[in-house]
């Protein structure tokens, strides 16, 4: 039943996934995904009418904590090589592909 | 080969604590081994000699001043390259993170350091942990120390190969669908995936968040217990972290196997399992029986549904988790982009490899409007059924014993051509991730080609001690202390 994967589906999916596929890649993706979905269809052999979807294996509650500003390791429960400065911005911005002052820099967003 | 490399991590730490061995000597031994073998094995993406010697000298100073140095004092340890290390490149073996230097360190690595462990480098892996061979690494494949023409398994292939080859005394890996246990099996070392929530995921680059766990790869079971104790912790920074009070795992090594009930799923020994693997695993079961465990065959059921459920859920989570790689805040950014939207698209298209894209596309599809219920929710319902099947099994058994993988290590280049076939190799390992269970891979001999075989024990949630107890008694009874054997005898190197 891999018919659901047509060109239109692949185009929509690649837009959602923010990926560009070449003509060849598109054909390959159609084939791969179709085959995988055929395989996944095996799940329909099972009757799951009264089964609730299981997102977590243990019963878990939401974990809340105070919204306080801290360094990445500031919340650590053990002694950690914390950043020298409570302000981690320089170290974070150092890894940015492009930065201006204290901000990330990106290409034009509006006309 | 340096004699120190024959020691287990625990033995080495003990000699370093008493001052019989200097921390630097252990590093010298490991780096010498790396110098000799790394070119042919390629276990590491990044090696941090300078950092390692600095850690060792700080530790040595502590020891010389008679201060407590920890259960892993001076033990050189490799960390999989999807686990963040402050100031040390963390790439996930992907082009998109080729130059990423994290501003913080993963909780599990901090715990290792606190226990005295010395981080020596970042181990190679499948790109973003997606793969079973370490061949999807942007930086090139890792080779199996037992046969350089074969894969080490994956995705924690660099971690497993490094331990097997003496390029490290122990390693951390991550396991989303078998990524610790399967390479451990292919490389003849011990590997454990702990119960979900036992080791903090803070600083582990997410793949399938509901399935990911960090765990140890070691030369033997005792090392596994000690490493696991070191890295287990409740962490407020990981909202799925579980507060446990039973993490004194080495205590489990003192108990025998009398009264232990081991179930062997008939459905694990059907079609597709290599006969040599099947017989080695059955022999391992007999050893456990001789040690006092009771064996019983049973039908686990639903085994064939684990793979389709897993790849639906894991791909869905991956597609969401990997949205963050967009070229804005860190990592690779494509050149010459006219606007923001084009930058996202070009960056991701150029930055991700084919297997990662394949899973992102599949995951995006199963989460997309119109298909969400039929695929994603369906898989979550099947996950509930699989969990139920395990609950039933664990009402009768302490552990479930089976193979880790259907075969021993395949040849390089054999697996990637047919992704679905590669996925089917995860049949025995992925159910533990879906159900959050702990599972261990233990070496149990070799096939006629001289390639390591592993058997797997799985227990109910929070029952790692049962696994360690059985695995340790097996190791003792067979006197194999198998892990890390490649560099001792019979290995390719």
């Amino acid at each position: 039943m891999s018919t659901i994967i047509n060109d239109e589906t692949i185009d929509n999916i690649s837009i959602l996934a923010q990926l560009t596929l070449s003509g060849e890649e598109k054909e390959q993706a159609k084939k791969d995904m179709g085959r995988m979905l055929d395989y996944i269809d095996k799940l329909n052999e099972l009757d799951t009418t009264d089964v609730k979807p299981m997102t977590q294996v243990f019963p878990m509650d939401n974990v809340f904590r105070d919204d306080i500003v801290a360094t990445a390791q500031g919340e650590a429960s053990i002694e950690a090589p914390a950043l020298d400065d409570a302000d981690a911005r320089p170290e974070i911005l150092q890894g940015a592909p492009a930065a201006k002052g204290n901000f990330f820099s990106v290409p034009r967003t509006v006309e | 080969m340096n004699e120190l490399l024959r020691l287990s991590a625990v033995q080495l730490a003990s000699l370093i604590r008493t001052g019989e061995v200097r921390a630097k000597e252990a590093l010298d031994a490991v780096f010498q081994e790396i110098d000799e073998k790394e070119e042919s094995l390629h276990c590491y993406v990044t090696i941090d000699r300078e950092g390692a010697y600095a850690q060792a000298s700080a530790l040595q100073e502590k020891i010389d001043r008679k201060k407590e140095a920890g259960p892993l004092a001076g033990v050189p340890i490799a960390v999989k390259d999807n686990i963040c290390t402050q100031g040390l490149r963390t790439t996930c073996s992907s082009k998109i993170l080729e130059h990423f230097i994290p501003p913080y360190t993963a909780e599990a690595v901090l715990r290792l350091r606190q226990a005295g462990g010395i981080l020596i480098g970042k181990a190679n892996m499948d790109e973003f942990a997606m793969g079973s061979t370490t061949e999807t690494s942007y930086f090139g494949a890792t080779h199996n120390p037992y046969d350089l023409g074969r894969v080490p398994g994956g995705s924690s292939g660099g971690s497993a190969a490094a331990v097997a080859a003496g390029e490290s005394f122990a390693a951390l890996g991550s396991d989303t669908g078998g990524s610790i246990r399967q390479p451990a099996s292919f490389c003849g070392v011990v590997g454990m995936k702990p119960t979900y929530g036992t080791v903090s995921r803070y600083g582990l680059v997410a793949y399938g968040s509901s399935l990911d766990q960090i765990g140890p790869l070691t030369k033997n079971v005792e090392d596994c217990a000690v490493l696991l104790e070191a890295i287990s912790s409740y962490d407020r920074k990981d909202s799925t972290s579980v507060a446990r009070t039973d993490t004194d795992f080495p205590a489990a090594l003192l108990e025998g196997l009398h009264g232990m009930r081991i179930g062997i799923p008939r459905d694990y020994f059907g079609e597709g399992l290599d006969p040599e693997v099947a017989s080695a695993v059955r022999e391992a079961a007999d050893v456990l029986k001789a040690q006092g465990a009771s064996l019983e065959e049973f039908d686990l059921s639903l085994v064939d549904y684990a793979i389709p459920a897993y790849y639906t859920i894991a791909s869905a989570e991956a597609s969401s988790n990997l949205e963050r790689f967009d070229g804005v805040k860190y990592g690779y950014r494509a050149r010459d982009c006219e606007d923001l939207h084009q930058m996202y698209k070009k960056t991701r298209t150029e930055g991700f490899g084919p297997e990662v894209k394949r899973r992102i596309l599949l995951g995006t599809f199963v989460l997309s409007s119109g298909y969400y219920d039929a695929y994603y929710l369906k898989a979550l319902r099947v996950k509930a059924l699989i969990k139920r099947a395990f609950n039933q099994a664990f009402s009768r058994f302490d552990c479930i014993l089976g193979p880790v993988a259907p075969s021993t290590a395949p040849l390089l280049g054999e697996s990637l051509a047919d992704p679905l076939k590669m996925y089917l190799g995860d049949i025995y390992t992925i159910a533990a991730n879906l159900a959050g269970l702990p599972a261990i891979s233990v070496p149990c001999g070799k096939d006629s080609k001289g390639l390591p075989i592993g058997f797997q024990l799985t227990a109910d949630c929070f029952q790692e001690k049962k696994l360690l107890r059985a695995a340790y008694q097996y190791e003792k009874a067979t006197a194999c202390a198998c892990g890390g054997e490649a560099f001792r005898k019979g290995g390719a190197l």
Side-chain angles (χ1 to χ4, degrees), chain A residues 19-38:
Chain A
L19 291 169
T20 309
L21 302 180
S22 69
E24 201 183 314
E25 286 171 329
K26 212 190 272 186
E27 286 312 306
Q28 189 62 43
K30 254 165 41 183
K31 217 176 87 193
D32 286 347
M33 206 189 287
R35 207 165 151 231
M36 206 49 205
L37 291 172
D38 280 351

Side-chain angles (χ1 to χ4, degrees), chain B residues 210-239:
Chain B
S210 75
L211 309 160
D212 298 337
Q213 261 300 278
I214 294 174
L217 292 104
T218 56
K219 293 183 182 188
N220 64 29
V221 177
E222 186 186 21
D223 284 359
C224 176
V226 171
L227 245 82
L228 184 60
E229 182 179 27
I231 59 176
S232 300
S233 70
Y234 173 67
D235 184 3
R236 281 159 42 97
K237 302 187 295 313
D238 171 1
S239 59

Side-chain angles (χ1 to χ4, degrees), chain A residues 29-94:
Chain A
K30 254 165 41 183
K31 217 176 87 193
D32 286 347
M33 206 189 287
R35 207 165 151 231
M36 206 49 205
L37 291 172
D38 280 351
Y39 180 61
I40 289 171
D41 281 338
K42 191 175 171 55
L43 297 179
N44 292 323
E45 294 169 13
L46 299 173
D47 180 6
T48 53
T49 321
D50 296 319
V51 185
K52 276 193 189 151
M54 180 181 246
T55 49
Q56 291 290 346
V57 284
F58 313 126
M60 277 185 183
D61 294 323
N62 258 334
V63 178
F64 295 103
R65 54 192 162 111
D66 293 333
D67 187 14
I68 43 170
V69 177
T71 59
Q73 235 81 61
E75 280 276 312
S77 42
I78 57 170
E79 196 185 328
L83 301 173
D84 294 331
D85 191 339
D87 184 357
R89 273 177 292 191
E91 202 173 348
I92 290 168
L93 285 166
Q94 212 172 22

Side-chain angles (χ1 to χ4, degrees), chain B residues 93-275:
Chain B
S93 287
S94 178
K95 179 183 177 185
I96 212 161
L97 287 177
E98 184 176 2
H99 303 293
F100 174 56
I101 296 178
Y104 70 104
T105 298
E107 186 70 13
V109 175
L110 291 179
R111 297 270 160 187
L112 269 190
R113 287 222 183 108
Q114 194 190 34
I118 310 283
L119 169 64
I120 54 171
K122 305 302 292 290
N124 198 18
M125 55 186 278
D126 282 295
E127 184 180 0
F128 283 103
M130 297 178 193
S132 316
T133 65
T134 312
E135 291 171 293
T136 70
S137 168
Y138 173 66
F139 303 103
T142 296
H143 298 239
N144 192 308
Y146 282 86
D147 180 344
L148 296 178
R150 290 177 186 273
V151 305
S155 65
S156 310
S159 299
V163 176
E167 287 195 24
S168 181
F169 275 81
L172 290 189
S174 68
D175 192 314
T176 306
S179 281
I180 288 174
R181 292 160 283 156
Q182 183 255 30
S185 161
F186 285 2
C187 291
V189 301
V190 172
M192 186 194 271
K193 173 206 132 19
T195 306
Y196 186 75
T198 300
V199 180
S200 169
R201 291 183 296 112
Y202 181 72
L204 170 67
V205 180
Y207 160 20
S209 310
S210 75
L211 309 160
D212 298 337
Q213 261 300 278
I214 294 174
L217 292 104
T218 56
K219 293 183 182 188
N220 64 29
V221 177
E222 186 186 21
D223 284 359
C224 176
V226 171
L227 245 82
L228 184 60
E229 182 179 27
I231 59 176
S232 300
S233 70
Y234 173 67
D235 184 3
R236 281 159 42 97
K237 302 187 295 313
D238 171 1
S239 59
T240 57
S241 179
V242 177
R244 295 181 61 170
T245 51
D246 59 344
T247 53
D248 56 332
F249 299 112
L253 308 180
L254 304 171
E255 277 179 79
L257 292 190
H258 283 281
M260 181 173 278
R261 301 159 302 166
I262 295 176
I264 302 177
R266 277 185 210 100
D267 19 15
Y268 276 8
F269 288 83
E271 209 189 323
L273 178 63
D274 180 315

